[in-house]
Amino acid sequence: MSGAVENPDSPPGDIVCGVCNKVFQKPRLLPCLHSMCSECLQRILDTNKTADTIECPTCEETIEISAHDAREFPSNEYLITIIDVYFSRHGGDKQCAICDLRSKKIQAKFKCVDCEDFLCESCGGAHSSTRMTIEHKVLSLDELARGSHDDIIRDKRTMHCEHHVKEVLDHYCKSCNVLVCRECRLGDHFDHSAVPVTEVDESKRGKISDIISRLDIKIKDLFDVDVESETVVRELDKSEQTAINEVEHTSKQLQERIEKEKTELIDTVKKHVSNEKERLNGQKDDINKRHALLTYGSEFCSRVTENGKEAEIIYMEPELSGRLRYLDRLPQPNTIIRCQFPEVKLRNLYGNVNNIKFFEFTPGTTSTVASILPPGVEESDIPKVLSLNLKRRINVFLSDDETSPKITGLCVIKNEIYVSDYANRKIKIFSLKGEHIDTLHNIAAFSITGFDDVIAVSDHFAVTILSKDESIKYRVDLQSTSASYPLTTMHGNTFVVANSKNHIYMVYDKHGTNVENHKMARSTRKSFSRAVTYLTTTSTGDFVASDWGTNAVVVMGTNGKIKFEYTAKPLSYTKDWSPGGVCVDIHDNVFLVDQRQGNVTVLNPTGKVVHRHNTKKDGLERPVNITTDHNSYIYVSGKGGLIHAYLTEYI
């Protein structure tokens, strides 16, 4: 154990209190691992008597307090030893402790590291000659100043019991997880399991080292990112002037081109809106005519039946009944009011200026009703997804798998990736880096989600809530169906199950209790039924469902109303795309996978497409499941048991 102290000529920064700017006196260790003098800490606590937190003066981290007593924080014993070493090096102006008892002021030349007394030359020689102190280590101050005996000083220092101040804390009570002295073992810890500190030292060091190893990986990643960012900044500096020159060179030509296209585009928009109005007015006329026809027939027959005489009614009944049956058999006109709202978006700019098309006109998505923006938030406030950058590939195939994995569920819980491998009847757990951590066996799940210390899995018959050690906590039996029961979490403390057959979202707590249900909006398309296959929720509690029944991604509120519906192509209900898994980032942008086209499509909270990424070019075929760690990474699973981790870049 190396105990040498650096910078012997002046107090190193790590032994100086950040409050009083002096060498620590009885340093207390804060949860953030910074220290303060016990008196400095007590003064801060005394000035915040009504508060339940204080702020570390070094890192400004908020620290919870309970007793407003500096003693509630542990002593920094390691730092106390380092300070002892420092003062041992700087004993040149110390007086002999023995001579001081005789009222003599004699310069110290030695120090006994056992008694921790400074001694003059005479007392130092005598100290090594008595029966009680003959084994003590007496060192010259010159040797101590050179730091050659720092290890000896550290080794000689012992921690004493606060209850029995003369006793050394030399044992560890396994029952109470505290250091104890000889008197403690004979008293309050008499029948406890206590072992010498040397027997538990290695395991405690190993525990700390394991955590440090994990942190080192994160530190290296952050360092690499920092280096990469510096490189990017340098490249930005180089390219800045080039970009400015290009903008200046082409801006005049672009302005002329924009003015010309603006005129053409406005005409196109006006023509489209005019056509839509004409179509809607025609639909409205058809509805009004049918309404008038049915209303007159119904009202006339009602007047006759209410006011007519017996003979009149009997005589006219065949004509009246015949007309009413005719009206009843008439097919209803189209009563679904839809229109294609005009949307204008920038084209990609390629080629020379003469060939550039700045804008393109598209009819837009169908029947955009609302958005999932939180109250008071504007669309412009939401960060826009710029790109998805592949960072790593994860293969979930394990050596004991009987067949190729089939990933049917994917989620991130407490920085661990949970993978439902239906083919091998396993739940596989990986780190965010892709290392295999654990496996839960004999679980064939179609969907998986979780929070805190529990996960939930579903199949055709039930939802099972279980802990990581595979002990089943609760089982919620559901109606047997050929469809799956997709799962997700809501607000991080409940599970949601989509029941398409009964058109409800069922909400359960971690104990399997059905705490509430929400109505599922029925399909607005005739002959189409809901078949929710993948599910997630937004920060405001809206449901985002991948609906195979209508071949769409539907966002619904808890009131059962549709907020918006995405169908890949306006007014196209064909199977030219196949919606797969869905997830929502911290900004409520919706990420969805298109199995048929091999895309990840990103919708902003108003339902507009803001980005599309093709996973085929990254080597991921038929993407099916998608999830997020809510920290800018999304994970997409595809064919062959592969998972791709993408870093989301925002602007």
Side-chain angles (χ1 to χ4, degrees):
M1 176 177 66
S2 176
V5 175
E6 299 178 0
N7 304 322
D9 296 331
S10 61
D14 56 1
I15 68 168
V16 175
C17 176
V19 178
C20 64
N21 291 320
K22 297 178 182 178
V23 175
F24 283 109
Q25 296 291 324
K26 299 180 181 179
R28 294 287 177 174
L29 186 66
L30 304 179
C32 59
L33 303 186
H34 291 115
S35 296
M36 276 193 281
C37 297
S38 183
E39 290 186 3
C40 295
L41 177 57
Q42 190 61 55
R43 283 197 299 271
I44 292 176
L45 293 171
D46 290 341
T47 58
N48 293 272
K49 287 186 176 181
T50 60
D52 55 5
T53 62
I54 60 172
E55 190 176 85
C56 172
T58 304
C59 66
E60 298 182 351
E61 181 174 323
T62 300
I63 298 168
E64 294 184 358
I65 55 178
S66 57
H68 289 81
D69 188 338
R71 289 174 296 180
E72 73 174 291
F73 296 93
S75 296
N76 190 335
E77 295 294 334
Y78 173 80
L79 188 55
I80 291 172
T81 303
I82 298 299
I83 294 171
D84 285 348
V85 172
Y86 170 77
F87 281 122
S88 295
R89 288 195 184 190
H90 296 76
D93 58 346
K94 298 291 185 180
Q95 305 295 320
C96 175
I98 303 300
C99 291
D100 187 57
L101 296 175
R102 302 188 184 104
S103 300
K104 296 181 180 180
K105 302 296 181 183
I106 300 178
Q107 189 78 16
K109 298 293 184 180
F110 298 91
K111 181 180 181 180
C112 174
V113 296
D114 292 277
C115 302
E116 298 187 358
D117 285 335
F118 287 94
L119 306 168
C120 66
E121 189 167 356
S122 175
C123 294
H127 198 75
S128 301
S129 304
T130 68
R131 180 177 299 176
M132 295 294 295
T133 60
I134 193 171
E135 298 295 332
H136 285 200
K137 193 75 173 179
V138 179
L139 302 173
S140 72
L141 297 186
D142 290 338
E143 290 178 304
L144 292 174
R146 289 194 296 269
S148 55
H149 295 292
D150 288 352
D151 284 344
I152 296 176
I153 296 172
R154 295 196 63 188
D155 289 340
K156 289 290 185 179
R157 184 183 181 275
T158 54
M159 291 175 58
H160 291 267
C161 179
E162 63 178 2
H163 304 295
H164 313 98
V165 293
K166 293 184 179 181
E167 297 293 331
V168 176
L169 295 171
D170 56 359
H171 277 67
Y172 178 76
C173 178
K174 290 184 176 181
S175 304
C176 303
N177 294 323
V178 294
L179 291 170
V180 294
C181 68
R182 181 178 62 86
E183 292 295 328
C184 291
R185 288 186 289 124
L186 295 174
D188 294 340
H189 300 266
F190 178 74
D191 56 349
H192 293 185
S193 174
V195 296
V197 292
T198 53
E199 293 186 17
V200 293
D201 172 64
E202 185 176 350
S203 65
K204 295 295 185 181
R205 290 178 189 268
K207 183 178 180 180
I208 295 173
S209 297
D210 289 343
I211 301 174
I212 291 174
S213 298
R214 295 200 298 271
L215 288 179
D216 284 344
I217 295 174
K218 295 184 178 181
I219 292 170
K220 183 180 182 303
D221 288 345
L222 292 174
F223 176 79
D224 292 343
V225 172
D226 182 57
V227 172
E228 182 181 354
S229 67
E230 291 179 357
T231 303
V232 171
V233 169
R234 288 194 296 269
E235 291 300 320
L236 279 174
D237 290 338
K238 293 178 182 179
S239 62
E240 179 182 14
Q241 192 57 49
T242 301
I244 292 174
N245 292 339
E246 282 187 28
V247 171
E248 294 290 346
H249 178 71
T250 58
S251 61
K252 292 182 180 179
Q253 293 172 286
L254 293 175
Q255 290 171 15
E256 294 174 359
R257 186 74 180 175
I258 288 173
E259 286 297 323
K260 182 176 181 296
E261 189 170 342
K262 180 186 75 172
T263 302
E264 296 173 353
L265 185 62
I266 290 174
D267 290 341
T268 302
V269 171
K270 288 182 177 180
K271 182 178 179 181
H272 171 79
V273 172
S274 177
N275 292 338
E276 285 294 290
K277 286 182 178 179
E278 183 178 350
R279 183 182 60 79
L280 288 172
N281 288 333
Q283 184 180 3
K284 182 179 179 182
D285 289 342
D286 292 341
I287 292 173
N288 289 338
K289 289 178 182 178
R290 182 60 54 83
H291 180 268
L293 185 67
L294 297 180
T295 300
Y296 175 76
S298 175
E299 290 178 351
F300 178 79
C301 292
S302 295
R303 287 197 303 272
V304 172
T305 55
E306 291 175 2
N307 303 316
K309 297 179 179 180
E310 293 86 345
E312 293 171 348
I313 292 174
I314 294 171
Y315 176 77
M316 297 178 64
E317 185 274 330
E319 292 295 329
L320 298 178
S321 297
R323 180 60 176 178
L324 291 174
R325 282 193 294 271
Y326 168 75
L327 294 176
D328 188 41
R329 287 195 299 269
L330 285 177
Q332 281 284 79
N334 184 9
T335 58
I336 299 176
I337 305 299
R338 290 194 180 94
C339 71
Q340 295 175 310
F341 295 97
E343 290 183 6
V344 176
K345 60 183 179 180
L346 285 172
R347 290 180 181 270
N348 292 325
L349 306 181
Y350 296 107
N352 60 52
V353 173
N354 291 331
N355 294 329
I356 290 176
K357 291 284 290 182
F358 295 101
F359 304 95
E360 68 175 349
F361 170 81
T362 58
T365 55
T366 302
S367 298
T368 299
V369 180
S371 71
I372 54 175
L373 285 171
V377 178
E378 299 295 332
E379 181 178 348
S380 58
D381 297 333
I382 301 298
K384 181 180 178 181
V385 175
L386 179 64
S387 64
L388 298 179
N389 303 310
L390 178 63
K391 289 298 181 181
R392 67 185 65 91
R393 297 178 174 88
I394 302 172
N395 191 333
V396 305
F397 183 84
L398 301 179
S399 58
D400 60 346
D401 284 348
E402 297 180 357
T403 185
S404 178
K406 181 181 179 182
I407 301 175
T408 53
L410 192 65
C411 70
V412 175
I413 309 171
K414 286 188 171 181
N415 293 323
E416 293 179 344
I417 306 171
Y418 284 66
V419 181
S420 173
D421 180 356
Y422 186 82
N424 291 288
R425 298 178 60 82
K426 296 176 180 177
I427 301 296
K428 301 173 180 178
I429 306 172
F430 296 83
S431 71
L432 297 181
K433 293 289 187 181
E435 298 96 354
H436 178 243
I437 298 175
D438 200 1
T439 301
L440 310 184
H441 296 273
N442 299 317
I443 301 175
F446 284 113
S447 185
I448 182 171
T449 190
F451 59 86
D452 293 342
D453 59 341
V454 294
I455 63 173
V457 296
S458 67
D459 54 23
H460 293 311
F461 311 97
V463 172
T464 303
I465 301 172
L466 54 117
S467 58
K468 192 175 179 179
D469 62 2
E470 297 188 70
S471 61
I472 295 178
K473 290 189 173 182
Y474 303 97
R475 176 185 171 92
V476 179
D477 292 316
L478 302 171
Q479 291 177 298
S480 176
T481 174
S482 59
S484 61
Y485 286 100
L487 295 169
T488 190
T489 60
M490 177 183 281
H491 303 312
N493 56 15
T494 52
F495 298 109
V496 181
V497 185
N499 187 333
S500 300
K501 184 176 181 180
N502 295 331
H503 288 88
I504 57 171
Y505 293 107
M506 302 177 293
V507 183
Y508 294 88
D509 64 17
K510 64 193 305 182
H511 306 294
T513 303
N514 186 194
V515 293
E516 59 185 10
N517 293 323
H518 298 284
K519 181 181 178 182
M520 182 187 297
R522 295 179 179 270
S523 171
T524 58
R525 308 171 197 169
K526 292 183 178 180
S527 75
F528 286 82
S529 299
R530 291 275 181 233
V532 175
T533 309
Y534 300 93
L535 182 66
T536 189
T537 58
T538 69
S539 63
T540 57
D542 294 322
F543 303 105
V544 183
S546 181
D547 181 11
W548 283 10
T550 60
N551 205 37
V553 171
V554 187
V555 178
M556 313 177 197
T558 53
N559 57 3
K561 294 183 179 180
I562 296 176
K563 293 202 167 184
F564 67 79
E565 187 170 354
Y566 176 76
T567 58
K569 284 189 176 181
L571 300 178
S572 173
Y573 308 143
T574 60
K575 292 290 183 180
D576 54 358
W577 85 298
S578 181
V582 288
C583 70
V584 176
D585 68 7
I586 58 174
H587 308 295
D588 280 338
N589 292 302
V590 178
F591 293 70
L592 60 100
V593 293
D594 180 349
Q595 300 179 64
R596 191 177 297 272
Q597 300 297 329
N599 290 327
V600 174
T601 300
V602 185
L603 311 177
N604 73 4
T606 65
K608 294 180 181 177
V609 176
V610 295
H611 184 70
R612 185 173 281 116
H613 181 89
N614 189 279
T615 63
K616 291 182 179 179
K617 69 178 184 180
D618 301 327
L620 187 68
E621 298 285 337
R622 294 188 64 80
V624 178
N625 296 277
I626 188 169
T627 189
T628 177
D629 65 356
H630 295 293
N631 193 24
S632 298
Y633 271 86
I634 66 165
Y635 300 84
V636 185
S637 70
K639 185 179 179 181
L642 291 178
I643 297 175
H644 280 193
Y646 292 93
L647 177 62
T648 308
E649 184 177 356
Y650 296 90
I651 56 173

